[in-house]
C-alpha cells in the first residue's frame, strides 16, 4: 500500500470495514442478550448450573415435613437410613433373584428394554412370583410403566424393606403391584422426567413429548388407584433433585395398600 497522502482511499475497503464492524457489534449485542437471559433463568431458579441456582441438601440428609427436596445423583446419593441389607453397587439394569419361595428381589436401575426383558423373566421364574422386594434408583419411565401394568395383570405384589429406596421412575413399578407394603423408613421419591426428547429437534417438539409423557403417567397413576395429585410434587422438582414422600403422604396418595 502506498504512503502517498494524495492517494485516495479505496471505497470498497471502507465499505468492507464498515460491514465488519456492524457484524461484530451485532454479535456482541446478541451475546450480551444471551448472557442476561441465562443469568435471569439462574436467578429465577429455572436453570441449574454447578454452584448456581437452588442449593437443596443432599439425599443423605434426613427428610422432614416441608423439607423434602434433595439433590439427586443416582451413582452418588443414598438415603441416610440404615437399610435391611447393604446392596453394594446396584446393577445397571433390573435383576430378578429369588429370596425364598414365591418372594423375589427386583433390584437395579431401569434400563431401556427392561420392561419386556423383566416380564419374560417373571413368566419363566419357578415358582411363579407373588411378591417383589423392590429397590431401584429409577431410569426409563416407559419401561417402568410397562412393567407396572404387567405386575397388575399378574396380580404380583411389591414390598419395600426398612431403609431401602425406590426413586425417580421406580415408583411407577411400585404402584403397579396388586398389593404394596412399604416400611415407614423406606424412601419413595419422584421428580421431573425426560420422555425421549431430542436436543436436535426444535423446542416445541420437546415440550410436546414432555407433556404427552406426563399425561400418560397421570392416566397410569389413576388406573392404578393412585391420586394423580402426587404429580404436583414431581412436576415441581427438577431432574437433578428428588422429592421424598413422607409415610403419611404414601398412605394419603394410595401408595400403601390399606387393609380391609
Amino acid at each position: 500500500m502506498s504512503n502517498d497522502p494524495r492517494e485516495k482511499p479505496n471505497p470498497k475497503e471502507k465499505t468492507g470495514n464498515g460491514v465488519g464492524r456492524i457484524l461484530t457489534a451485532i454479535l456482541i449485542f446478541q451475546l450480551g442478550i444471551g448472557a442476561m437471559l441465562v443469568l435471569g433463568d439462574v436467578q429465577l431458579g429455572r436453570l441449574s448450573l454447578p454452584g448456581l441456582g437452588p442449593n437443596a441438601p443432599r439425599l443423605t440428609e434426613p427428610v422432614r415435613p416441608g423439607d423434602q427436596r434433595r439433590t439427586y445423583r443416582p451413582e452418588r446419593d443414598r438415603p441416610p437410613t440404615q437399610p435391611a441389607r447393604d446392596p453394594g453397587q446396584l446393577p445397571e439394569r433390573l435383576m430378578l433373584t429369588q429370596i425364598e419361595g414365591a418372594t423375589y428381589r427386583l433390584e437395579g436401575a431401569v434400563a431401556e428394554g427392561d420392561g419386556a426383558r423383566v416380564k419374560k423373566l417373571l413368566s419363566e421364574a419357578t415358582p411363579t412370583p407373588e411378591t417383589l422386594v423392590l429397590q431401584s434408583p429409577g431410569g426409563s419411565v416407559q419401561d417402568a410403566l410397562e412393567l407396572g401394568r404387567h405386575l397388575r395383570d399378574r396380580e404380583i405384589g411389591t414390598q419395600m424393606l426398612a431403609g431401602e429406596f425406590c426413586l425417580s421412575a421406580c415408583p411407577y413399578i411400585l404402584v403397579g403391584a396388586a398389593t404394596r407394603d412399604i416400611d415407614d423408613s423406606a424412601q419413595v421419591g419422584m421428580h421431573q422426567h425426560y420422555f425421549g426428547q431430542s436436543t436436535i429437534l426444535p423446542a416445541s417438539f420437546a415440550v410436546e413429548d414432555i407433556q404427552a409423557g406426563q399425561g400418560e403417567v397421570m392416566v397410569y397413576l389413576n388406573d392404578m388407584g393412585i391420586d394423580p395429585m402426587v404429580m404436583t410434587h414431581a412436576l415441581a422438582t427438577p431432574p437433578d433433585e428428588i422429592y421424598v414422600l413422607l409415610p403419611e403422604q404414601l398412605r394419603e396418595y394410595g401408595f400403601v395398600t390399606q387393609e380391609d
Side-chain angles (χ1 to χ4, degrees):
M1 179 182 294
S2 172
N3 293 325
D4 188 345
R6 293 173 298 179
E7 184 175 332
K8 293 183 179 180
N10 187 337
K12 292 184 178 180
E13 288 184 5
K14 295 184 68 175
T15 302
N17 291 338
V19 171
R21 285 194 294 269
I22 292 172
L23 291 175
T24 301
I26 291 174
L27 177 60
I28 293 173
F29 177 75
Q30 290 176 330
L31 289 174
I33 293 295
M36 286 189 291
L37 290 173
V38 170
L39 181 60
D41 279 348
V42 170
Q43 291 175 337
L44 292 174
R46 293 194 294 258
L47 179 65
S48 296
L49 295 175
L52 298 173
N55 186 23
R58 286 182 58 175
L59 190 59
T60 51
E61 297 294 323
V63 173
R64 297 175 294 276
D67 176 30
Q68 294 161 248
R69 277 173 57 165
R70 295 290 181 267
T71 58
Y72 182 54
R73 285 171 49 186
E75 74 281 1
R76 179 195 70 182
D77 296 324
R78 297 283 177 87
T81 51
Q82 287 295 323
R85 53 180 276 281
D86 183 2
Q89 184 67 34
L90 289 177
E92 295 184 357
R93 62 188 318 171
L94 290 172
M95 301 297 293
L96 182 70
T97 55
Q98 185 179 17
I99 297 177
E100 183 179 5
T103 300
Y104 291 75
R105 176 173 283 278
L106 185 63
E107 190 169 62
V110 187
E112 290 188 13
D114 271 357
R117 186 179 65 86
V118 175
K119 283 161 53 176
K120 185 172 185 295
L121 292 175
L122 292 171
S123 65
E124 295 174 347
T126 305
T128 300
E130 296 178 1
T131 301
L132 298 180
V133 177
L134 190 61
Q135 180 161 236
S136 171
S140 167
V141 176
Q142 293 295 342
D143 286 272
L145 298 178
E146 179 182 356
L147 186 52
R149 289 194 181 279
H150 181 73
L151 298 187
R152 184 61 60 94
D153 291 342
R154 295 282 300 273
E155 298 186 345
I156 297 174
T158 52
Q159 182 180 6
M160 289 194 64
L161 303 182
E164 300 195 347
F165 56 89
C166 179
L167 307 172
S168 186
C170 174
Y172 306 133
I173 301 175
L174 174 68
V175 302
T179 59
R180 302 170 295 279
D181 180 15
I182 306 172
D183 189 274
D184 278 353
S185 70
Q187 287 202 348
V188 178
M190 308 177 73
H191 61 183
Q192 298 169 8
H193 296 290
Y194 296 109
F195 291 89
Q197 64 200 45
S198 171
T199 55
I200 299 175
L201 295 175
S204 60
F205 287 97
V207 171
E208 288 178 7
D209 285 345
I210 293 171
Q211 291 179 336
Q214 297 291 6
E216 182 181 357
V217 167
M218 295 183 75
V219 169
Y220 170 84
L221 291 173
N222 186 67
D223 289 346
M224 297 301 145
I226 306 299
D227 186 349
M229 285 299 292
V230 71
M231 288 299 293
T232 59
H233 305 297
L235 294 175
T237 306
D240 59 351
E241 296 181 10
I242 201 81
Y243 181 92
V244 179
L245 295 162
L246 299 172
E248 53 266 33
Q249 289 178 308
L250 293 173
R251 289 187 281 271
E252 174 188 351
Y253 290 121
F255 281 66
V256 179
T257 304
Q258 301 294 332
E259 295 182 0
D260 295 332

